Amino acid sequence: RMTEAQDVLKNIQRKPGLQIWTISKMKMVPVPEQAHGNFFEGDCYIILNVSNSTSQSTDIHYWIGNTSSQDEQGAAAIYVTQLDKYLGGSPVQYREVQGCESAKFKSYFKNGLIYKKGGAGSGFTHVETNTFNIQRLLHVKGTKHVTAREVEVSWSSFNLGDIFLLDLGKAIIQWNGPQSNRQEKLKAVLLAQDIRDRERGGRAQIGVIEGGQEEASPELMKLMISVLGQRTGHLKESIPDDKPDQNQTSIIKLYHVSDASGQLLVQEVATSPLTQDLLSSSDCYILDQGGSSVMVWKGKAASDEERSSALSRAVGFIKAKNYPSNTKVEVMSEGGESAMFKHLFKSWKEKGQTQGLGRTHSVGKIAKVDQVKFDVMELHAQPKLAAQERMVDDASGHIQVWRIENLELKEVNPSTFGQFYGGDCYLVLYTYNRANKQQYILYMWQGRHATQDEVTACAYQAVNLDNKYNGAPTQVRVVMGKEPRHFLAIFKGRLIIFEGGTGRPGVVNPDPGARLFQVRGTHEMNTKATEVPGRASSLNTNDVFLLKTHQNVFLWYGKGCSGDEREMGKAVADLLSEQDKQIVMEGQEPAAFWVALGGKAPYATDKRLEKEVAPHEPRLFECSNQTGRFLMTEVADFTQDDLDEDDVMLLDTWEEIFLWIGNSANQYETQESYNSAVEYLKTHPAGRDPGTPITTVKQGHEPPTFTGWFNAWDAHKWRGGGSYSAPGGPGNIKSHNQRMSSSISNAYVDQSLSRAKPSGMLHSEQLVKTPNQLPQGLDPEKREEYLTDAEFENLFGCTRNNFQRLPKWRQNDLKKKAGLF
């Protein structure tokens, strides 16, 4: 059998895209492309995916059907190990169990997975020759990734909350449960189209029935009844969608695996936060993420025996721990780690990564910034560069600065721009032009010693300012000492951060005696001066320091700093004081210098070549409370299409966190998402920096620092207010998918528009009256139904659909606030 395996493997090419095999009579048999996404429940499959990116990273998944035999599962595992070896051991291997597939696996099948009854062994084939001779019912579940399962062709299979596709070969009828939402309906349409185009060569009609208004589609209902018979009794209630997994806060443990004594020994090595030096090349390890997933790491120098049995060990580990049999398993080799694996380590460094000077992240030291000058045209031409460099432009835009005084906004005099006091909070509005359109970034700078009231007022005033500009500004929270790169650039080398005190006029700050400032930067785009404790131990040989006393101003040059850094030190010194500066070289300090610092003491003197910031893959999460609980779910292999306008999305680029607010996201999600971003950082297994900047971006106003993380971003997608995913407006669904047969799509759009709405629309002012003053025959309990869609969204801040999904008390609460209760 192994020679047969070699023959199959010989024909495998490492080409970008998806290749799928099924295990039939213990052999690997290729699955034709038009059947990709169809899985027989009685079979096992092997899936090879080579990414399109420059790295051409490779992933191997093996999928286990619910009713597949142990023998087939064993054969699949052996083939996976051989395939891995054949491809040089760099792929990451994943074990997938039907119904619990990883987000990465589902992302290969954007239109959804279909589970088919039976298996190849029972005489079924993946592609039927006479494809129109079909009668099956598919139960569609899920919003982000849908799975469709073949169920009994009978009304008893239906429920009110999901969507069902009755596939009759030449016609596909989509029945939408009255409690299903817009996302689910759209996903089901895409799946139906996919079946039509891939399996039927485009020759099938699609019809849509809204389950709550069956009488509106008499022809389609007739067809359904002819197959399913007359319906008697009530349909089943909706089944809640699966809870998204939240393995963010789980306990991470690392185990060392060895079989030195001929017996498998698994020994706990460490719990989070984990560091890379715990992994030794000569061994294998198991990383257990609180039972939600298990990862196996194979060292380069581990024995062949240890490497080839990694997968079976992981399965053994799951059994020993009494974890569910569908627990996710990933197997990877040293040098080919998955993004998720790297994310669980405190600092991850790639082999052969260049070293940069003085990147320190310890307390009291500020990370050195890359020394790169920008050509602004380059940033517009390559949003990816803008994203990686975290710069939206060349910082030549217009700045306005306000300080929070008595909880109100007070304009700051331009002559003191760039001076920030730790006892204050500031709002900085930066305006720049892109594509002849004004764009805005609103920075909220929070001093370390500002009062809680001031921090709250800062956030409140930011909302006011944001509203003034119609919600267009991108909002960035800046924690003192963690100023992002662009923030440094806009102050052109004039950024000085005072530890405490206030910049308010008329307030006398206490006299600290000697003040010491650490100056970092090589040109005006990346320089800042930060006040540090006025003692010798604050010095660092890699930097320039400025010591200001009542009598003197000393400029201290560490041995590790460059000429450019000294120049910037001089410029900052001139801003701080007009006095003559006394230059002091490290090692040749006059006595007065040490006296001012309270005596000589040891300080950081090693000219360190520090690690560069770890190269982490960006990750996207959906933040939603549609299930009544606030949940974050990861979206694998994300594209712009994955940004769901009903939700808030969190993009983690490691250096910063973006919150993308969809136009129809509800108020609760918007508020909660910020707290959850803070919580996400706090509970991150890698011990993330809680001061990581959090940037809020609105749909349709995305800066290039955000769009650059997406491949082929389409800036026109959301122009003209039309949502790309709303079946609610004529034409929108067509633009989403040109191939949809227009007769059906019109029927679909008409149905979603023909919500039972009272005729005669009224303005909100006609409705805000006591019940007896209302027009004749109007139901005072349901005044909101008489509003136009635009007025409705204006009053309630959410769409009608979203409003319907809210609990009753929340609806009444919103109605009270709007004066319609």
Side-chain angles (χ1 to χ4, degrees):
R1 188 192 303 160
M2 288 311 136
T3 52
E4 283 172 10
Q6 308 290 240
D7 291 345
V8 174
L9 296 174
K10 259 196 220 115
N11 297 322
I12 292 173
Q13 295 154 358
R14 203 178 196 148
K15 56 172 198 261
L18 210 53
Q19 296 169 71
I20 302 180
W21 298 266
T22 182
I23 304 295
S24 176
K25 300 192 177 76
M26 300 299 166
K27 289 185 185 160
M28 265 173 88
V29 181
V31 172
E33 207 166 310
Q34 64 264 44
H36 284 187
N38 288 315
F39 294 90
F40 282 114
E41 303 190 337
D43 287 340
C44 290
Y45 292 78
I46 293 173
I47 292 94
L48 171 68
N49 184 59
V50 179
S51 79
N52 260 321
S53 65
T54 44
S55 63
Q56 284 224 340
S57 63
T58 312
D59 295 291
I60 302 173
H61 302 254
Y62 83 105
W63 185 91
I64 300 170
N66 282 345
T67 56
S68 61
S69 70
Q70 281 306 118
D71 286 354
E72 281 185 331
Q73 292 182 25
I78 291 168
Y79 280 124
V80 164
T81 308
Q82 293 193 324
L83 179 57
D84 182 56
K85 203 166 177 182
Y86 176 75
L87 292 170
S90 62
V92 178
Q93 303 166 33
Y94 301 83
R95 173 176 174 269
E96 308 284 356
V97 178
Q98 179 182 343
C100 303
E101 294 88 350
S102 65
K104 190 176 189 66
F105 181 82
K106 289 178 182 166
S107 74
Y108 303 146
F109 309 99
K110 286 285 186 205
N111 294 322
L113 301 172
I114 299 176
Y115 302 141
K116 293 180 145 182
K117 287 197 180 316
S122 52
F124 293 123
T125 56
H126 267 97
V127 184
E128 311 281 337
T129 39
N130 181 7
T131 49
F132 295 110
N133 181 19
I134 279 178
Q135 193 179 93
R136 61 177 179 173
L137 182 64
L138 294 174
H139 176 185
V140 184
K141 267 195 95 58
T143 47
K144 263 283 167 278
H145 297 291
V146 298
T147 50
R149 194 187 183 132
E150 263 187 47
V151 289
E152 192 195 335
V153 184
S154 136
W155 282 116
S156 64
S157 299
F158 283 68
N159 74 61
L160 298 170
D162 291 327
I163 291 170
F164 293 81
L165 296 179
L166 180 61
D167 183 359
L168 305 171
K170 286 206 163 78
I172 301 170
I173 301 172
Q174 173 176 338
W175 183 91
N176 293 334
Q179 289 160 24
S180 59
N181 63 41
R182 186 179 75 179
Q183 266 299 93
E184 292 169 321
K185 291 174 186 174
L186 181 80
K187 282 289 187 185
V189 163
L190 295 177
L191 178 64
Q193 290 170 5
D194 192 46
I195 294 171
R196 176 192 68 196
D197 297 340
R198 212 157 32 101
E199 295 183 34
R200 311 287 144 74
R203 292 189 300 278
Q205 284 289 317
I206 300 173
V208 181
I209 299 175
E210 288 297 339
Q213 295 158 251
E214 292 179 336
E215 64 288 346
S217 322
E219 295 300 311
L220 291 173
M221 277 310 289
K222 234 186 253 166
L223 188 51
M224 273 190 92
I225 290 165
S226 72
V227 177
L228 297 166
Q230 214 44 57
R231 190 168 64 211
T232 54
H234 291 298
L235 291 178
K236 286 196 288 249
E237 280 304 307
S238 59
I239 315 157
D241 282 316
D242 299 336
K243 299 259 182 288
D245 40 324
Q246 277 194 296
N247 42 25
Q248 185 54 42
T249 55
S250 51
I251 312 297
I252 312 277
K253 286 187 175 174
L254 185 70
Y255 296 88
H256 175 241
V257 182
S258 73
D259 54 359
S261 55
Q263 245 185 330
L264 179 63
L265 276 178
V266 177
Q267 210 175 357
E268 189 178 318
V269 182
T271 54
S272 58
L274 301 175
T275 52
Q276 200 176 350
D277 54 13
L278 293 165
L279 302 169
S280 145
S281 289
S282 55
D283 291 312
C284 291
Y285 296 85
I286 289 179
L287 194 153
D288 177 4
Q289 203 174 354
S292 63
S293 77
V294 168
M295 300 177 186
V296 182
W297 185 88
K298 304 181 291 188
K300 278 203 169 101
S303 69
D304 276 359
E305 162 57 28
E306 283 189 323
R307 292 168 65 84
S308 59
S309 55
L311 200 74
S312 54
R313 283 193 183 155
V315 177
F317 178 82
I318 286 171
K319 282 200 183 109
K321 283 277 196 186
N322 276 331
Y323 289 155
S325 61
N326 58 17
T327 301
K328 294 187 182 68
V329 174
E330 286 182 28
V331 179
M332 64 207 72
S333 292
E334 182 176 353
E337 294 84 1
S338 67
M340 186 60 223
F341 185 81
K342 291 184 211 167
H343 252 263
L344 298 174
F345 285 77
K346 196 164 177 66
S347 58
W348 188 272
K349 189 163 186 302
E350 297 295 353
K351 288 274 180 295
Q353 189 181 314
T354 54
Q355 304 219 309
L357 213 147
R359 261 210 194 262
T360 50
H361 277 281
S362 48
V363 180
K365 302 192 178 70
I366 295 96
K368 245 195 179 141
V369 185
D370 288 352
Q371 300 167 16
V372 183
K373 272 276 194 201
F374 281 105
D375 168 2
V376 68
M377 291 323 291
E378 232 172 84
L379 291 178
H380 293 336
Q382 309 174 336
K384 202 163 182 177
L385 178 74
Q388 282 161 353
E389 296 294 353
R390 299 168 65 206
M391 296 284 280
V392 294
D393 69 343
D394 60 356
S396 60
H398 176 65
I399 311 178
Q400 283 163 282
V401 184
W402 295 267
R403 187 187 297 106
I404 302 292
E405 292 184 21
N406 304 325
L407 312 188
E408 294 295 330
L409 283 185
K410 254 322 201 326
E411 282 240 29
V412 169
N413 186 330
S415 65
T416 62
F417 275 8
Q419 296 178 27
F420 290 85
Y421 289 84
D424 287 330
C425 286
Y426 299 82
L427 287 183
V428 177
L429 182 68
Y430 178 76
T431 310
Y432 64 107
N433 270 318
R434 193 162 105 244
N436 293 328
K437 195 168 159 237
Q438 294 229 306
Q439 313 275 350
Y440 307 95
I441 300 178
L442 182 57
Y443 291 105
M444 294 170 275
W445 190 92
Q446 301 168 358
R448 196 177 291 132
H449 307 292
T451 64
Q452 199 42 56
D453 284 355
E454 286 169 330
V455 173
T456 308
C458 184
Y460 172 74
Q461 294 294 356
V463 173
N464 285 347
L465 209 55
D466 190 54
N467 291 340
K468 213 163 139 183
Y469 290 91
N470 297 327
T474 296
Q475 291 183 29
V476 186
R477 170 198 76 150
V478 179
V479 174
M480 175 174 168
K482 303 274 164 52
E483 290 74 20
R485 169 153 197 182
H486 186 258
F487 189 82
L488 266 58
I490 63 179
F491 289 106
K492 309 279 183 295
R494 305 175 71 85
L495 185 59
I496 301 172
I497 293 162
F498 296 95
E499 174 56 34
T502 171
R504 278 171 237 178
V507 178
V508 180
N509 289 319
D511 176 16
R515 300 185 92 154
L516 184 64
F517 295 85
Q518 180 174 24
V519 184
R520 282 212 149 155
T522 50
H523 51 76
E524 60 173 32
M525 297 285 268
N526 67 7
T527 297
K528 70 170 167 180
T530 311
E531 187 172 359
V532 291
R535 41 179 187 265
S537 57
S538 298
L539 297 172
N540 180 332
T541 195
N542 294 303
D543 294 314
V544 174
F545 284 80
L546 211 97
L547 176 62
K548 188 174 183 297
T549 68
H550 293 310
Q551 293 79 34
N552 307 319
V553 177
F554 296 104
L555 244 177
W556 183 86
Y557 292 147
K559 285 178 182 161
C561 63
S562 66
D564 288 342
E565 289 173 315
R566 293 176 189 189
E567 281 309 307
M568 290 318 297
K570 278 193 191 123
V572 173
D574 291 341
L575 287 171
L576 269 170
S577 165
E578 290 169 4
Q579 268 173 279
D580 283 345
K581 321 292 181 291
Q582 189 176 341
I583 289 184
V584 173
M585 304 304 269
E586 181 178 4
Q588 301 167 21
E589 298 87 355
F593 179 81
W594 294 120
V595 168
L597 287 176
K600 219 168 176 174
Y603 57 87
T605 54
D606 50 334
K607 289 218 262 302
R608 262 198 306 264
L609 280 169
E610 281 285 327
K611 288 180 184 176
E612 281 197 355
V613 174
H616 285 281
E617 298 270 321
R619 294 170 71 194
L620 183 71
F621 297 87
E622 177 184 17
C623 308
S624 164
N625 73 333
Q626 288 176 3
T627 53
R629 283 196 313 142
F630 187 82
L631 292 166
M632 277 172 59
T633 334
E634 180 152 15
V635 180
D637 192 21
F638 61 85
T639 64
Q640 186 180 0
D641 282 346
D642 290 312
L643 297 172
D644 178 352
E645 70 173 83
D646 282 341
D647 283 323
V648 172
M649 311 294 290
L650 181 146
L651 178 71
D652 178 5
T653 68
W654 198 268
E655 291 281 306
E656 66 191 309
I657 300 243
F658 288 96
L659 284 172
W660 180 90
I661 313 281
N663 285 340
S664 311
N666 66 40
Q667 211 38 53
Y668 176 77
E669 283 168 348
T670 310
Q671 286 161 354
E672 264 316 284
S673 57
Y674 182 81
N675 301 337
S676 67
V678 174
E679 192 56 26
Y680 170 82
L681 282 171
K682 251 197 226 145
T683 58
H684 198 286
R688 292 282 284 283
D689 182 345
T692 301
I694 297 173
T695 300
T696 307
V697 171
K698 316 280 192 333
Q699 180 181 345
H701 299 283
E702 297 86 356
T705 42
F706 177 82
T707 60
W709 297 106
F710 291 79
N711 204 0
W713 179 272
D714 174 6
H716 301 288
K717 189 166 213 147
W718 299 310
R719 290 275 158 81
S723 131
Y724 70 99
S725 67
N732 285 332
I733 199 162
K734 281 193 208 157
S735 67
H736 185 85
N737 197 326
Q738 290 291 305
R739 296 171 308 176
M740 188 168 200
S741 62
S742 60
S743 59
I744 301 288
S745 84
N746 288 341
Y748 183 57
V749 168
D750 292 346
Q751 282 156 9
S752 36
L753 284 175
S754 65
R755 258 192 310 260
K757 231 188 275 169
S759 46
M761 290 297 173
L762 296 167
H763 282 302
S764 50
E765 56 269 20
Q766 295 167 271
L767 296 165
V768 188
K769 292 182 172 165
T770 53
N772 55 5
Q773 295 175 311
L774 289 170
Q776 198 63 43
L778 187 143
D779 182 349
E781 292 290 298
K782 297 189 174 152
R783 304 182 208 192
E784 71 280 3
E785 290 181 6
Y786 296 83
L787 294 167
T788 62
D789 282 352
E791 278 222 282
F792 188 97
E793 289 188 27
N794 219 352
L795 267 185
F796 295 111
C798 65
T799 61
R800 246 179 242 276
N801 278 354
N802 278 346
F803 183 79
Q804 292 308 326
R805 294 207 310 241
L806 295 171
K808 207 76 203 136
W809 65 267
R810 185 90 179 88
Q811 291 185 10
N812 291 342
D813 191 42
L814 286 171
K815 278 160 57 170
K816 272 184 198 141
K817 285 186 180 139
L820 299 181
F821 191 70

